[in-house]
Amino acid sequence: MKLTIGHLYPDLLNLYGDQGNIRCLQKRLQWRGIEAQVQSLTSDSAIDFTKLDLVLLGGGSDREQELACRFLSGQKEAFRDYAEHGGTVLAVCGGYQLLGNYYQTGDMLLEGLGILDIYTKWESKRLVGNIILNSSLTFSSRPVVGFENHGGRTYIGNHTPFGQVISGCGNTEASGYEGVVCKNIIGTYLHGPLLPKNPEICDYLLERSLKQKYGASQTLGTLPDRLEHLANSDIVKRFTPRKFFFFPSLSKSKREKS
Ligand code: GLN
């Protein structure tokens, strides 16, 4: 078996170690004897979405995001088609904002890909720091941890959030929710990089891709993940407010989010 991972615009969208997500995807496939091919699709590349099994978009500054948006405008239909038909996508921060309808800053309006029915508005106070979520995508009670740094506030309407914020801000400081999960897409503000510290999220994406390509019966076995879990729990211990030490479960998948 083989999965092809498309890393979109690593020359533009590459903040806070987002490249580490690619390494994590690759390694966790290799450890299971599954071939992992990575296509590094820089802004001058022609992208054939029909050849990709998993797409990763990282974060970028507003300027880089504007450039990425310009390059992606020619690929809009193909990307939308890929995502609508079950293609797996991880989009982080600037990449997450690009999946929406628009990103509005003080002086520009960037039209997004319209893959998710969300929008983002910039505010001058940046939301920066470590962030901890309770997500229904991690099958254990282990929280999702990461780092956020964004001026955008994302309004996700009726979409299902990626997680409930235990510590940090997420989509907006007021909503209490972070990111979006829709079909086989995760959009999130979590850098970190996200996947090495949250191996269950990495495996969620890989399993979705395998099922999409090779059929619903495909599953991934577990890996020991001792170091990954230590890294995760260290952050949880340092940044979880005491009142949340017993994590509430995100029982309702759809809630009022923003
Ligand atoms: N430019 C976006 C913002 O500040 C995204 C930043 C990022 O990717 N970290 O909201």
Side-chain angles (χ1 to χ4, degrees):
M1 286 196 293
K2 171 181 166 183
L3 289 184
T4 303
I5 300 163
H7 188 186
L8 260 60
Y9 305 154
D11 51 336
L12 295 173
L13 302 174
N14 52 14
L15 287 179
Y16 313 119
D18 286 341
Q19 170 85 33
N21 289 327
I22 294 288
R23 298 226 192 124
C24 187
L25 290 162
Q26 230 175 340
K27 267 286 164 214
R28 294 183 75 80
L29 283 172
Q30 286 163 359
W31 284 334
R32 277 125 165 171
I34 300 169
E35 198 183 330
Q37 193 200 34
V38 175
Q39 286 190 16
S40 199
L41 298 159
T42 48
S43 46
D44 53 357
S45 311
I47 305 171
D48 183 353
F49 283 93
T50 64
K51 300 268 181 333
L52 302 178
D53 304 307
L54 208 156
V55 167
L56 187 127
L57 268 173
S61 67
D62 286 357
R63 171 74 189 132
E64 287 160 337
Q65 209 172 317
E66 191 188 347
L67 288 171
C69 195
R70 210 176 296 162
F71 289 117
L72 270 177
S73 62
Q75 326 264 356
K76 233 180 198 175
E77 291 309 317
F79 197 171
R80 218 182 280 169
D81 204 52
Y82 168 85
E84 261 166 30
H85 291 93
T88 309
V89 180
L90 172 65
V92 176
C93 202
Y96 166 41
Q97 295 170 351
L98 281 179
L99 294 189
N101 295 324
Y102 62 86
Y103 172 43
Q104 186 170 34
T105 66
D107 50 11
M108 81 175 171
L109 184 85
L110 272 188
E111 199 188 317
L113 295 163
I115 290 172
L116 299 174
D117 190 12
I118 64 173
Y119 63 94
T120 302
K121 287 188 167 180
W122 178 88
E123 289 181 29
S124 56
K125 182 177 175 246
R126 295 191 72 77
L127 307 179
V128 186
N130 290 284
I131 173 164
I132 301 176
L133 313 177
N134 190 19
S135 174
S136 56
L137 299 194
T138 53
F139 309 108
S140 59
S141 58
R142 198 178 307 284
V144 174
V145 301
F147 172 77
E148 61 181 329
N149 183 354
H150 51 107
R153 276 40 170 194
T154 299
Y155 299 89
I156 69 169
N158 286 324
H159 276 296
T160 301
F162 175 40
Q164 184 182 19
V165 177
I166 302 300
S167 171
C169 294
N171 287 332
T172 70
E173 43 288 68
S175 70
Y177 289 97
E178 204 293 315
V180 162
V181 180
C182 174
K183 297 191 172 148
N184 290 337
I185 305 166
I186 297 179
T188 176
Y189 275 110
L190 270 64
H191 298 278
L194 172 73
L195 301 183
K197 294 177 192 169
N198 303 286
E200 289 86 356
I201 301 298
C202 190
D203 286 355
Y204 171 86
L205 294 166
L206 292 174
E207 201 168 273
R208 290 294 174 132
S209 305
L210 283 175
K211 284 185 191 296
Q212 178 74 5
K213 187 166 185 181
Y214 294 107
S217 61
Q218 293 299 325
T219 50
L220 280 175
T222 53
L223 293 170
D225 289 332
R226 195 181 68 82
L227 290 174
E228 291 82 348
H229 290 162
L230 277 176
N232 178 294
S233 55
D234 186 61
I235 295 172
V236 173
K237 268 187 225 137
R238 281 161 61 195
F239 298 105
T240 303
R242 286 195 75 76
K243 64 177 177 167
F244 278 114
F245 247 93
F246 297 103
F247 296 102
S249 65
L250 191 62
S251 49
K252 271 171 99 180
S253 63
K254 291 199 176 189
R255 294 180 180 207
E256 198 49 49
K257 272 91 41 190
S258 51

